[in-house]
Amino acid sequence: MQKSLFFRRVLLLLLMALLLWTVLTAVIYGLISRPVFTRIKVDELRPKAESVASIAAAGFIQQDPYLDSLLSSAFEFFDAWVFVIDGLSGEIRSSSLPQSTASEQEIHQLLEQNSPQILSGDYTSIWFTRKIQSGEMLFIGVPVSVSFGRQNSVVGAVYFVRPLEELNAGLRSLNIALLGASLLVLLIMILPTYLATVHLIRPLRQTRDVALAMAKGNFTVRADTRMHGEIGELATTMNQLAAQLDQSISALTLERNRLRQIIEGMGEGLIAVDPDRSITRMNRAATRLLMIPDSDPAQSDGLTATVFSSYPELEQAISRVLSDGDPLIHIVHQPDEKLIEIQIARLPDSRDETAGAVALLRDITESERLEQTRREYVANISHELRTPLTAIRGLLEPLSDGMVSDETTRRRYYGILLRETARLSHLIDDMLELSRLQAHAQPIEMSRLRLQDLLPDLEMKYRSQAEDNELELVMPDQLDQCPPVSGNAARIEQVLVILIDNAIKFTPAGGRVSLELSWDQELVWMTVRDTGIGIDPRDIDHVFDRFYKADKAHQQPGTGLGLSIAREILSRMKQTITVSSVPDQGTAFTFSLSRFY
């Protein structure tokens, strides 16, 4: 097998495709990441600039000390310098630039050049980037409008100017990380690619050997038709051909007409070409799969030009089969993300000369999509069902062992068990709703929530599990003083269950898992902290990725979905979650909740 030229070419083609994917991914990401991240930064600063413009509008009517104070402290407030331009006098009032910035004159010149666009009143905002003496800068400008009677007049402009060193450094780091990850995937995929090529070529070589024997005149040889799919169909077609060659010319003509009808009724597409690569036959299924308009089969020149101009890689594959004589399988990626598998084989004549080639087309999009959906479904439900079952077991064990003698406590246990049992019945629906949650198709109902009502029950669920693992479970000291929050109780509990479960799982015996609370006038922060093994700095940026695991060998339990589900839930509630960790010392996950007023 390894000595086969076709095998080496297919293997080389797959490896080159992987390498090309790696290079193109890095190049395309490098091209699109900078404008995307710059646009995000613009969207972040524009509302701030508009707020300053509204303050500056009052300053154009009468002297505003607050505006002067705001300008003097602009970089501390907005992480950018602020420039206010008087549209009548051309005077520029600005923040104090640091002494290390020796480009104030260049900045003023750029502002004067671009101010007419804002002052004309035709733009609600503009932004651009320029390289000056002290580095690359981002400029964001908005108009300052003042009302005179019923009319609004643009009397000036406000510009935010921010250095881009931090953004550029972040992009460089992301580019390096992406390239490293792509190269690692390339190395990992070499062995699977080799094995897949061997598995792919073996049945095709067997079919090719049978075809070569038949081309030499040995019509007693039959292809193995036990294979499923297009390879089995190809073997059946060859057997039919061998039988037909023993019949008379009239019978051959009759069978040819029958074959034409069969081809037109096939669910798979079929394209036949002559030795000059001109299409001689193409059924309706092929035109549908390749999205080619129906045309007159007699006009082969126009049909050939239409197909091969839309799919030049198909022409190259057919040319390779016509020149080499070896069967070839090619995958076409449609613009609508459909995958078309094309099997191309040479057609020999009675003198073993190439009479053309035939290509069988099959839509494999749905089968690939169903397989991916199945894997994701199994992974999600495995992770989600395990967590409530653990909590139920933690409550049933002391009840079963007779450790809970107090009737009030026992009833409370039973109440929690009943809720957890009901929650189990809803988990299946939750898994089906996960895709709608990520697509923002299912709203999360928000209401007033007291963490004092939620955390004690959660503590009772995990107290026995923590003791079984010889861990100390610590609840917040200031729980009674915590203000009410706005959220969804079931979703917040689901986030806490995920975080506490991970903390217990990755904390060795003798450690501690603690819940901490803090708040200000707007937000309440909850932290789940452990003294476990921690997270490697190389993995900390990926812990919220779906299916990501720091354990590349997958020896630890779980599917890697929990943290991504937690982040998605908090994102839907317009909240954030962050992580900090020190290897061998512990990890802390902190998420925010809005206070309820």
Side-chain angles (χ1 to χ4, degrees), residues 220-518:
T220 62
V221 179
R222 290 293 181 266
D224 187 359
T225 60
R226 291 176 298 176
M227 299 180 182
H228 298 287
E230 285 74 12
I231 296 179
E233 293 175 2
L234 181 61
T236 302
T237 304
M238 288 185 176
N239 292 340
Q240 293 176 352
L241 179 61
Q244 291 171 357
L245 288 176
D246 291 334
Q247 298 175 357
S248 62
I249 298 299
S250 59
L252 179 60
T253 303
L254 178 61
E255 292 301 324
R256 184 186 61 184
N257 294 334
R258 291 178 179 176
L259 182 60
R260 181 182 295 113
Q261 295 177 356
I262 292 173
I263 290 175
E264 287 299 327
M266 287 175 54
E268 292 79 8
L270 185 141
I271 300 176
V273 298
D274 60 16
D276 296 327
R277 301 194 306 274
S278 296
I279 295 177
T280 59
R281 190 69 188 175
M282 184 173 181
N283 66 356
R284 292 187 178 89
T287 59
R288 174 177 53 83
L289 291 174
L290 296 180
M291 297 185 293
I292 302 297
D294 292 336
S295 58
D296 186 359
Q299 299 177 352
S300 59
D301 294 339
L303 182 60
T304 301
T306 301
V307 174
F308 289 159
S309 62
S310 301
Y311 300 94
E313 70 277 12
L314 177 59
E315 181 182 11
Q316 296 173 5
I318 292 176
S319 300
R320 185 180 307 164
V321 172
L322 291 173
S323 60
D324 298 342
D326 296 327
L328 178 65
I329 294 181
H330 181 70
I331 303 297
V332 172
H333 296 264
Q334 297 281 30
D336 56 356
E337 300 183 354
K338 285 187 177 181
L339 299 177
I340 307 299
E341 182 184 73
I342 304 177
Q343 294 184 349
I344 309 172
R346 181 178 72 98
L347 292 178
D349 58 14
S350 59
R351 294 173 296 179
D352 198 25
E353 296 180 355
T354 300
V358 61
L360 293 175
L361 294 78
R362 184 171 69 95
D363 188 351
I364 61 173
T365 306
E366 191 62 27
S367 60
E368 292 293 329
R369 185 179 300 153
L370 288 175
E371 178 62 20
Q372 179 66 22
T373 301
R374 183 192 66 81
R375 289 195 296 265
E376 292 182 359
Y377 178 78
V378 172
N380 282 335
I381 201 168
S382 298
H383 184 281
E384 288 298 321
L385 287 177
R386 181 172 52 84
T387 300
L389 285 175
T390 301
I392 291 177
R393 177 185 175 185
L395 293 175
L396 284 176
E397 286 181 349
L399 288 172
S400 177
D401 295 340
M403 299 175 59
V404 182
S405 58
D406 183 66
E407 180 65 25
T408 302
T409 304
R410 187 183 296 109
R411 286 183 174 275
R412 186 178 182 185
Y413 273 40
Y414 287 147
I416 296 174
L417 285 172
L418 182 61
R419 289 197 299 273
E420 286 302 316
T421 304
R423 183 168 175 261
L424 267 176
S425 65
H426 293 304
L427 276 178
I428 301 299
D429 294 334
D430 289 343
M431 295 305 301
L432 296 176
E433 292 173 0
L434 178 61
S435 59
R436 292 193 293 269
L437 185 69
Q438 293 176 329
H440 298 270
Q442 181 182 19
I444 294 181
E445 297 182 0
M446 309 289 284
S447 61
R448 185 179 184 273
L449 173 65
R450 297 176 72 252
L451 296 178
Q452 295 91 328
D453 300 331
L454 177 64
L455 295 185
D457 289 343
L458 199 63
E459 177 188 14
M460 182 170 295
K461 295 177 188 177
Y462 279 94
R463 177 66 65 183
S464 60
Q465 183 180 352
E467 293 175 353
D468 290 342
N469 289 273
E470 299 180 15
L471 300 176
E472 180 185 3
L473 182 61
V474 181
M475 302 304 289
D477 295 334
Q478 68 276 36
L479 180 60
D480 294 337
Q481 291 81 30
C482 180
V485 298
S486 176
N488 184 286
R491 294 300 187 181
I492 294 175
E493 181 179 1
Q494 185 177 358
V495 172
L496 287 171
V497 165
I498 291 171
L499 298 181
I500 295 175
D501 184 66
N502 284 345
I504 293 177
K505 178 169 51 177
F506 293 103
T507 302
R512 182 177 63 180
V513 176
S514 60
L515 275 67
E516 303 171 1
L517 284 173
S518 62

Side-chain angles (χ1 to χ4, degrees), residues 97-159:
L97 300 179
Q99 297 179 356
S100 60
T101 304
S103 306
E104 183 173 2
Q105 185 176 358
E106 294 182 60
I107 295 176
H108 282 198
Q109 291 177 353
L110 290 172
L111 295 180
E112 292 174 355
Q113 294 173 2
N114 292 274
S115 292
Q117 300 180 55
I118 292 293
L119 296 176
S120 66
D122 297 332
Y123 297 88
T124 57
S125 65
I126 63 171
W127 68 273
F128 56 90
T129 60
R130 293 291 188 273
K131 287 186 177 180
I132 59 177
Q133 182 179 355
S134 59
E136 190 172 9
M137 298 288 182
L138 172 64
F139 294 78
I140 303 173
V142 298
V144 177
S145 300
V146 176
S147 297
F148 295 99
R150 296 184 177 180
Q151 296 182 347
N152 290 333
S153 298
V154 177
V155 298
V158 170
Y159 278 89

Side-chain angles (χ1 to χ4, degrees), residues 23-49:
V23 174
L24 289 179
T25 299
V27 171
I28 294 175
Y29 178 81
L31 292 175
I32 68 174
S33 59
R34 178 179 176 81
V36 169
F37 280 98
T38 302
R39 187 68 187 184
I40 292 174
K41 186 60 65 178
V42 170
D43 293 339
E44 176 187 339
L45 291 178
R46 184 185 291 114
K48 300 177 181 179

Side-chain angles (χ1 to χ4, degrees), residues 1 12 78 101 145 186 204 250 254 268 322 538 565 573:
M1 179 70 71
L12 180 61
F78 308 114
T101 304
S145 300
L186 175 63
L204 292 177
S250 59
L254 178 61
E268 292 79 8
L322 291 173
R538 294 172 296 181
I565 293 174
M573 293 193 297

Side-chain angles (χ1 to χ4, degrees), residues 512-532:
R512 182 177 63 180
V513 176
S514 60
L515 275 67
E516 303 171 1
L517 284 173
S518 62
W519 57 84
D520 60 13
Q521 297 298 322
E522 300 294 334
L523 298 173
V524 173
W525 285 278
M526 177 167 287
T527 300
V528 178
R529 187 183 306 275
D530 63 65
T531 58

